[in-house]
Amino acid sequence: MTDINLTPASEDIPDVPEVVVGAPPPQLDPSAKPILEVDDLKMYFPVKSGGIINRTVGHVQAVDGVSFQVPEGSSLGLVGESGCGKSTTGRLITRLYDPTGGSIKFDGKEIANISQRQMLPMRRDIQMIFQDPATSLNPRHSVGAIISAPLKIHNVLPDNKIKARVEELLEIVGLNPEHYNRYPHEFSGGQRQRIGIARALTLQPKLLVADEPVSALDVSIQAQVINLLQDLQREFNIAFLFIAHDLAIVRHFCPEIAVMYLGKIVEIADRETLYGRPHHPYTQALLSAVPDVKQAQIGGRRERIRLKGDVPSPINPPSGCRFRTRCQFAQEICSRVEPPLLQIGPRHKVACHFAGELGAHPAEPIPQSANGGEGAPANQPGFEDHWLNLSTGQTASA
Amino acid sequence: MTTTTNADVLLSVRDLKVHFPTMDGIVKATDGLSFDLAKGTTLGIVGESGSGKSVSSSAILGLHRGTNAIVSGEILLDGEDLLQLNDEQMRRRRGQDVAMIFQDPLSAMHPYYTVGNQIGEAYLVHNDVSKKAARTRSIEMLDRVGIPQPDRRVDDYPHQFSGGMRQRAMIAMALMNDPGLLIADEPTTALDVTVQAQILDLLQDLQREFNSAIIIITHDLGVVAEMADDVLVMYAGRAVEYGPCKEILTHPEMPYTWGLLSSVPDVQGDTDARLIPIPGSPPSLLSPPKGCAFHPRCVHRDKVPGDLCFTELPDLTPARSGGSHVKRCHLPNPDEVYRVEVLPEIAPDLVEETP
Amino acid sequence: MFAYIVRRTISGLVLLVVMTLVTMMLFFSGPLHPERHACGKICSPAQIAVTKKAFGYDKPVLVQWGQFMQGIVKGRNFPEDKKLEKDHPELVVHCTAPCLGYSKYFTQNVTTLIKTSFPISLSLAIVAFILWITGGVLFGVIAALRKGTIIDRGIVGISLIFYAFPTFFIGLFLYKFVSIKWQLVPTPEYIPFSQNPWSWLTGLILPALTLALFFMAGYVRMTRAFVLESMSEDYIRTAKAKGLPARRILTKHTMRAAFTPLVTMAGLDLAGLLGGAIITETVFNFNGLGGLAVAAATNNDLPILVGLVIVLASFVILANIIVDVLYAVIDPRVRVG
């Protein structure tokens, strides 16, 4: 019964976004100035003992030494599975949490350790979009009140101009400005997410942290919201930290992507490199796990890297490389030495002792024999060999 | 319109309707659904929230009984109409002949009982065995679905399992009595992608082993592509396209299916291309649009002569590509439209190859 | 778990000590003059001063509090006067530990007073508790299972009536009709359990029923809501999908989840009731803790007030700890990992 749509048909909702083929989404511009620089960011949550004296016996290392940059007006994608620390990272940057260590520079200004009071003016420039628009909008406030709240808090507009601005914002995100006085429950999921976006846009931020902005939406609505975000990014030159678990959507939205595992970035690269020639075995496994529609042509399931077991506990992460317990290539050194995040290409960093030696993953969804000539560049030395190795589960020679 | 021969048909659903009377009128969650499913094969039901996919599968299991839902039509399992059974007879079939696994394995298990207790219960209720035998069987099944140290983990509570392990345990519970039909309602939606791969692998292995028929309900066409033999696309309570998986995903003939394909980015696709969403929102089931329920969101409705789309509900008719592929659309030349207009947008790399 | 109980007990004790101090400070900060009250109609300032000294109220609050704490641990004498003790030992009352004070008004140890009244309140609370839990849960579950029908509405409606009418009205009504007019039960009075368990019960039944009817309304509605909530949980759907019979789903799966929140409510309500039900006790003329509290308040009798505060607070704190432990027993998520 859960999936019955009881909300009345949305007759009066403008037919949303007219499919305009505008300018292509921004590509990675290596010379762009970073709006956000994160360096060695750490967030440890204490674990209490539960004894007679409630002392701290350990820490959940939710985020452990994460560094990345988001160029002005561009997007960085953060992907990874649940518990990898991607959402925590987003919350650290918006200072919903106080980081345990590290530095967050926004527009050249250090914000990691400033007080909430000092943070207040910065909040105009850093806004957040949440996953679930049903719970992140106050059901007792009208849409107008929700969107105008930031204007009132920061006192940027005289009261008599607020309504016009809110109506303008509603129009920008593709909602009817006449819906100013309606309440969130009167809108569908996709429209509620548009309200959330309008609220985030109110103060003309320079950086939007979008935490799974479309994963609660139906597929046909996801595309509407993604297109809207792309249009807004182009129009207002907003930088995005785009947090999601859907690899295809992240690739579509972000020119540069970081893969997280157990609180650390294991690989960061521009999208062509990351999806075409991933070097970290975890990235390879992640990519090969995505089911692909094109598989229908040949039927059945394709060969893929099968990760065994579960993600270890972040309270007591494995020594050395955190991925080694599930890595089919793990060697003795992996348990002793933690691999640093090393630069191996112009915009490509990997944290693996054997980076570059493990070859590409079988990026092509369809086995090579079934379909020739497209997909992953096979020009990398040893690609064929490694592909076979991976699919048969043998250890690559290191 | 069946894609399987009659001999090995396990489940046959005919004109299934599930209606919910409400204060504002009747919600037609499912409105005339028919399909067949053979032993050992998989049917993928695709649709968005409110399309009626979950309601239909719950009706097969008889979970609507005791609610105010009005169910009509036929649900023939091994030739016997489940809708004609009384409540007690239906209860005996549940978990014995038809089993179900759900989207969120954490909320689908009782937090206060051990995993073993809950799995064993499924065995105890249908078999006259001791608790000890049920426990042995639970351990055996947990082992079969790949839970490490099953003899120890059987006494764990659901919250001590990881998400993937919980879904494995749910599968173990569903397969306790070796049912002929397994309904999986979004079984991997709540899981991470690598865990999803593990669970889909497991389902396929088990299907091979037990020769069960599987209905997999999902919104992810990738999952369908890898799992299903047949696909049923639902919109506003009705099937809009139905046929062999390969046919549907390579030669879809219904604009809604095109929209589903075009609105998800491809992991290999061109990143410069914009996504092509389906405009608007899913319709209300209280007052669905007249004519074709999809017409308010359809960008191809102008290609249909007259105002057929607005006034007349299209029948499920054989697709141009022939075979057992059927679609519900007035477009006279859907294959042509797909090849010329849709395919270049969703998979430009495939255009040259299509003759 | 043991460490948890120890930690909670320690914090509970600290809370108790603080509460006694706060009670005393509140008492002396108000416009009360217990010494004025005690010394009679015509009272010279000199007499008042003497009475004040005799009560020990002339000392600073902190000193009085220190003496009070000492009384609990070691026992103390009233009045605290070495000279008087030596000259007229017959005028000095010794109060052995744990001494909660000495009431001049009742000329008795507070500990003794509470000990006498407590069994009455305890009996009343227990019988009422059993009645309201049984009735509340039973009718709540029935209402939930028959949701939307006339039975559901009837149960909820009738329980609301009992909730809405003042306790004294229900009490007097029951007294007048059930006991006096129809003579279904003997005249309500307290007979100790040890003396005659049957008379104990019949004597208590009307006041207990009066209390139970009041509390039951809340429990009917809560039980109904919790059962309905539990019935819509995903795991109930799983249980149905397994093919479990409806009765088993209700008893094993629905009820257990629905009752967990009730345990909290029930524990705290019972603890609160142990401190006496003032109106009910008054209507039926029971000399329980409620009556004692009223008497203490009208007579500005500080020792009794502080003593009652300690007893009541201890019950509430204890009930809290027991409820939390019960929670761990019921819910494995609290117990393990």
Side-chain angles (χ1 to χ4, degrees):
Chain A
M1 292 227 22
T2 45
D3 64 353
I4 295 175
N5 183 4
L6 283 171
T7 42
S10 30
E11 316 87 357
D12 47 354
I13 284 137
D15 254 20
V16 261
E18 59 313 337
V19 184
V20 262
V21 183
Q27 293 298 313
L28 195 63
D29 173 10
S31 62
K33 163 173 161 296
I35 183 98
L36 178 75
E37 295 162 88
V38 172
D39 190 39
D40 199 26
L41 188 63
K42 288 189 175 114
M43 183 72 223
Y44 294 175
F45 295 102
V47 181
K48 301 286 185 186
S49 68
I52 292 180
I53 300 159
N54 215 354
R55 69 201 148 82
T56 304
V57 289
H59 287 96
V60 175
Q61 304 180 2
V63 176
D64 193 17
V66 163
S67 308
F68 57 81
Q69 301 185 336
V70 184
E72 223 164 26
S74 181
S75 312
L76 176 76
L78 269 188
V79 293
E81 299 183 283
S82 34
C84 73
K86 56 186 195 300
S87 288
T88 309
T89 307
R91 276 150 201 247
L92 284 171
I93 283 154
T94 46
R95 286 296 310 278
L96 295 177
Y97 296 144
D98 292 328
T100 312
S103 135
I104 304 168
K105 275 201 185 116
F106 178 77
D107 221 359
K109 204 172 162 231
E110 178 61 52
I111 59 166
N113 296 307
I114 61 176
S115 68
Q116 291 296 337
R117 183 181 289 272
Q118 289 170 299
M119 185 64 199
L120 194 62
M122 312 298 292
R123 293 200 186 280
R124 289 175 59 170
D125 293 332
I126 310 176
Q127 289 286 322
M128 193 155 183
I129 304 173
F130 297 94
Q131 169 176 2
D132 189 353
T135 54
S136 59
L137 301 177
N138 188 333
R140 292 184 215 295
H141 288 182
S142 71
V143 169
I146 289 171
I147 299 177
S148 61
L151 290 171
K152 289 177 180 157
I153 291 168
H154 291 271
N155 218 357
V156 284
L157 272 185
D159 280 0
N160 55 5
K161 292 200 176 145
I162 284 181
K163 188 166 185 209
R165 170 70 179 148
V166 171
E167 284 172 348
E168 185 193 338
L169 283 163
L170 283 171
E171 198 141 11
I172 289 174
V173 297
L175 292 170
N176 188 342
E178 285 162 24
H179 293 171
Y180 187 88
N181 284 321
R182 295 202 180 181
Y183 287 85
H185 70 266
E186 297 175 68
F187 295 87
S188 69
Q191 291 170 325
R192 276 197 287 252
Q193 193 58 294
R194 285 168 192 271
I195 298 170
I197 293 169
R199 171 177 64 183
L201 285 179
T202 318
L203 298 167
Q204 297 172 312
K206 293 178 187 155
L207 175 70
L208 270 179
V209 176
D211 190 356
E212 302 271 8
V214 296
S215 58
L217 307 175
D218 269 323
V219 276
S220 72
I221 310 296
Q222 282 188 1
Q224 296 177 2
V225 172
I226 289 290
N227 283 354
L228 171 67
L229 291 177
Q230 279 187 339
D231 292 343
L232 295 172
Q233 175 167 48
R234 229 183 350 260
E235 197 173 335
F236 301 110
N237 198 36
I238 304 170
F240 273 81
L241 180 64
F242 194 95
I243 301 164
H245 69 277
D246 187 322
L247 293 155
I249 286 185
V250 171
R251 177 175 179 275
H252 181 81
F253 196 85
C254 308
E256 190 174 18
I257 292 142
V259 181
M260 287 188 73
Y261 184 81
L262 262 183
K264 285 184 183 292
I265 291 181
V266 295
E267 186 160 13
I268 181 165
D270 61 90
R271 63 180 151 213
E272 285 72 24
T273 314
L274 191 88
Y275 285 73
R277 295 182 301 282
H279 277 59
H280 199 283
Y282 179 62
T283 317
Q284 296 174 353
L286 209 53
L287 287 171
S288 94
V290 182
D292 197 320
V293 181
K294 286 184 191 154
Q295 189 66 25
Q297 289 183 335
I298 49 165
R301 308 200 67 209
R302 68 183 163 114
E303 284 299 326
R304 52 166 46 94
I305 304 168
R306 296 183 178 203
L307 284 187
K308 294 247 155 47
D310 289 311
V311 183
S313 155
I315 300 176
N316 227 332
S319 63
C321 172
R322 292 190 174 184
F323 183 60
R324 69 174 164 86
T325 51
R326 303 171 74 197
C327 178
Q328 53 177 326
F329 307 111
Q331 305 284 320
E332 187 267 335
I333 183 175
C334 299
S335 63
R336 275 191 299 113
V337 183
E338 186 179 330
L341 192 64
L342 285 183
Q343 190 101 28
I344 61 159
R347 294 204 65 114
H348 191 181
K349 291 180 190 169
V350 184
C352 176
H353 290 301
F354 303 102
E357 297 170 31
L358 302 176
H361 82 111
E364 186 48 43
I366 300 145
Q368 306 280 301
S369 54
N371 184 340
E374 56 114 8
N379 54 1
Q380 200 186 339
F383 175 78
E384 286 292 306
D385 293 346
H386 286 300
W387 162 209
L388 288 173
N389 282 341
L390 285 169
S391 58
T392 49
Q394 287 163 9
T395 311
S397 51
Chain B
M1 55 164 280
T2 130
T3 61
T4 44
T5 56
N6 283 329
D8 54 354
V9 168
L10 174 74
L11 175 74
S12 184
V13 171
R14 286 289 166 270
D15 198 26
L16 177 67
K17 289 182 181 161
V18 185
H19 292 181
F20 297 93
T22 68
M23 305 269 266
D24 304 317
I26 292 176
V27 172
K28 296 174 179 174
T30 303
D31 205 20
L33 187 67
S34 303
F35 60 84
D36 292 293
L37 184 59
K39 287 193 179 80
T41 63
T42 303
L43 170 73
I45 302 185
V46 184
E48 299 178 276
S49 11
S51 63
K53 55 192 198 309
S54 292
V55 173
S56 312
S57 53
S58 297
I60 295 172
L61 218 59
L63 293 182
H64 60 275
R65 287 167 190 252
T67 70
N68 61 354
I70 303 164
V71 183
S72 64
E74 282 180 2
I75 301 173
L76 299 167
L77 185 71
D78 266 336
E80 188 178 11
D81 189 352
L82 297 183
L83 292 179
Q84 302 302 322
L85 300 181
N86 65 31
D87 286 357
E88 176 60 16
Q89 287 167 327
M90 186 62 224
R91 179 187 72 72
R92 289 178 191 282
R93 307 296 291 266
R94 264 182 232 143
Q96 173 83 328
D97 301 326
V98 196
M100 190 155 177
I101 56 177
F102 302 97
Q103 173 171 346
D104 181 359
L106 180 59
S107 63
M109 296 187 102
H110 201 297
Y112 295 171
Y113 296 102
T114 62
V115 171
N117 180 325
Q118 299 186 54
I119 298 179
E121 204 176 24
Y123 194 59
L124 277 171
V125 72
H126 295 294
N127 300 280
D128 188 16
V129 291
S130 69
K131 281 196 171 166
K132 197 154 170 270
R135 187 185 153 86
T136 314
R137 170 88 179 150
S138 304
I139 296 173
E140 187 187 310
M141 282 309 292
L142 284 177
D143 188 39
R144 180 64 202 81
V145 297
I147 303 273
Q149 297 175 284
D151 50 334
R152 202 170 59 77
R153 299 311 296 259
V154 73
D155 294 322
D156 276 358
Y157 290 93
H159 73 273
Q160 293 168 291
F161 274 33
S162 70
M165 276 164 56
R166 279 194 285 265
Q167 197 57 294
R168 285 173 193 270
M170 282 299 290
I171 294 174
M173 185 193 291
L175 297 182
M176 273 309 251
N177 300 303
D178 193 4
L181 174 63
L182 177 66
I183 302 173
D185 189 352
E186 304 263 10
T188 58
T189 308
L191 304 176
D192 281 317
V193 59
T194 58
V195 183
Q196 163 171 293
Q198 293 173 351
I199 296 293
L200 295 181
D201 282 342
L202 175 66
L203 279 176
Q204 264 182 346
D205 291 349
L206 293 170
Q207 178 171 41
R208 236 167 270 143
E209 188 178 327
F210 296 104
N211 199 33
S212 335
I214 296 181
I215 296 179
I216 186 160
I217 298 163
T218 178
H219 62 273
D220 187 335
L221 290 170
V223 170
V224 165
E226 299 204 0
M227 296 291 291
D229 301 295
D230 288 351
V231 178
L232 178 73
V233 182
M234 286 190 76
Y235 189 79
R238 289 202 179 85
V240 294
E241 192 153 14
Y242 174 45
C245 178
K246 188 177 173 183
E247 273 298 308
I248 301 271
L249 293 184
T250 54
H251 302 103
E253 296 197 7
M254 161 76 199
Y256 177 64
T257 317
W258 300 343
L260 285 180
L261 285 165
S262 73
S263 46
V264 262
D266 179 15
V267 224
Q268 303 296 321
D270 176 10
T271 48
D272 286 348
R274 277 175 71 88
L275 299 176
I276 303 147
I278 305 172
S281 317
S284 151
L285 296 170
L286 265 175
S287 51
K290 288 216 165 48
C292 170
F294 186 61
H295 85 255
R297 305 175 73 191
C298 184
V299 289
H300 300 282
R301 63 188 178 210
D302 299 338
K303 300 188 182 74
V304 175
D307 55 357
L308 268 180
C309 293
F310 298 82
T311 53
E312 200 136 324
L313 175 71
D315 288 327
L316 270 180
T317 50
R320 305 268 287 194
S321 62
S324 50
H325 179 178
V326 290
K327 44 99 189 179
R328 193 188 289 280
C329 183
H330 287 304
L331 274 180
N333 55 342
D335 49 343
E336 187 72 11
V337 178
Y338 178 68
R339 194 166 55 78
V340 177
E341 291 187 34
V342 184
L343 197 57
E345 283 171 343
I346 60 176
D349 44 321
L350 292 180
V351 174
E352 309 87 60
E353 296 164 26
T354 320
Chain C
M1 180 46 73
F2 177 72
Y4 175 77
I5 295 173
V6 170
R7 201 167 72 224
R8 288 292 303 271
T9 312
I10 292 170
S11 66
L13 286 175
V14 171
L15 184 63
L16 276 181
V17 171
V18 173
M19 280 183 74
T20 56
L21 180 62
V22 171
T23 314
M24 284 192 169
M25 287 166 97
L26 275 175
F27 183 82
F28 286 108
S29 70
L32 301 172
H33 298 286
E35 60 279 358
R36 173 86 184 71
H37 219 271
C39 103
K41 275 182 182 161
I42 312 153
C43 221
S44 67
Q47 273 174 307
I48 289 180
V50 171
T51 324
K52 198 169 179 175
K53 187 152 188 291
F55 279 143
Y57 291 163
D58 55 335
K59 301 191 186 83
V61 180
L62 270 177
V63 174
Q64 291 190 41
W65 179 69
Q67 288 176 337
F68 175 78
M69 292 314 292
Q70 192 192 357
I72 290 181
V73 183
K74 278 175 38 189
R76 63 192 274 207
N77 291 331
F78 292 96
E80 223 40 90
D81 189 335
K82 290 272 171 340
K83 192 164 159 282
L84 190 68
E85 200 178 333
K86 209 154 128 203
D87 301 347
H88 303 278
E90 74 281 359
L91 289 181
V92 174
V93 186
H94 180 69
C95 174
T96 47
C99 174
L100 294 174
Y102 179 79
S103 165
K104 288 279 188 312
Y105 178 77
F106 287 101
T107 57
Q108 250 177 344
N109 280 338
V110 173
T111 320
T112 321
L113 279 172
I114 290 178
K115 264 189 195 156
T116 329
S117 303
F118 179 64
I120 302 175
S121 288
L122 177 71
S123 307
L124 197 54
I126 286 177
V127 176
F129 179 75
I130 293 170
L131 285 177
W132 98 58
I133 287 290
T134 326
V137 167
L138 185 71
F139 289 119
V141 170
I142 292 175
L145 292 180
R146 299 272 175 273
K147 186 193 165 207
T149 63
I150 194 109
I151 298 174
D152 174 26
R153 281 180 210 150
I155 289 174
V156 173
I158 290 172
S159 64
L160 252 186
I161 291 177
F162 287 117
Y163 187 75
F165 273 102
T167 317
F168 67 82
F169 175 84
I170 302 282
L172 287 175
F173 182 87
L174 289 177
Y175 204 159
K176 160 97 198 210
F177 285 92
V178 180
S179 175
I180 297 172
K181 195 158 181 198
W182 302 328
Q183 306 217 334
L184 296 175
V185 291
T187 314
E189 61 177 328
Y190 178 71
I191 293 155
F193 185 80
S194 48
Q195 200 177 318
N196 184 340
W198 179 246
S199 313
W200 170 81
L201 186 66
T202 50
L204 274 173
I205 197 79
L206 280 192
L209 190 62
T210 308
L211 276 176
L213 284 174
F214 176 79
F215 279 100
M216 214 162 86
Y219 281 75
V220 164
R221 303 200 73 163
M222 278 187 302
T223 309
R224 179 178 177 276
F226 292 144
V227 168
L228 283 177
E229 191 191 323
S230 172
M231 272 165 40
S232 66
E233 293 281 356
D234 281 359
Y235 52 76
I236 299 300
R237 188 181 54 180
T238 309
K240 271 187 209 155
K242 270 193 270 196
L244 294 188
R247 181 183 296 268
R248 188 164 170 78
I249 295 176
L250 180 70
T251 51
K252 181 173 169 183
H253 293 260
T254 312
M255 303 274 246
R256 180 143 175 212
F259 289 171
T260 316
L262 278 184
V263 169
T264 320
M265 313 282 312
L268 296 182
D269 278 346
L270 178 62
L273 204 54
L274 286 177
I278 294 173
I279 295 172
T280 310
E281 284 180 12
T282 313
V283 168
F284 291 95
N285 208 8
F286 273 48
N287 295 316
L289 292 181
L292 191 62
V294 175
T298 46
N299 294 305
N300 293 340
D301 200 328
L302 178 67
I304 297 186
L305 284 179
V306 178
L308 282 176
V309 164
I310 288 200
V311 171
L312 248 174
S314 319
F315 283 132
V316 173
I317 290 168
L318 189 68
N320 256 312
I321 297 174
I322 292 175
V323 162
D324 284 350
V325 172
L326 271 181
Y327 242 99
V329 172
I330 297 173
D331 191 340
R333 286 172 298 184
V334 179
R335 187 169 64 237
V336 277

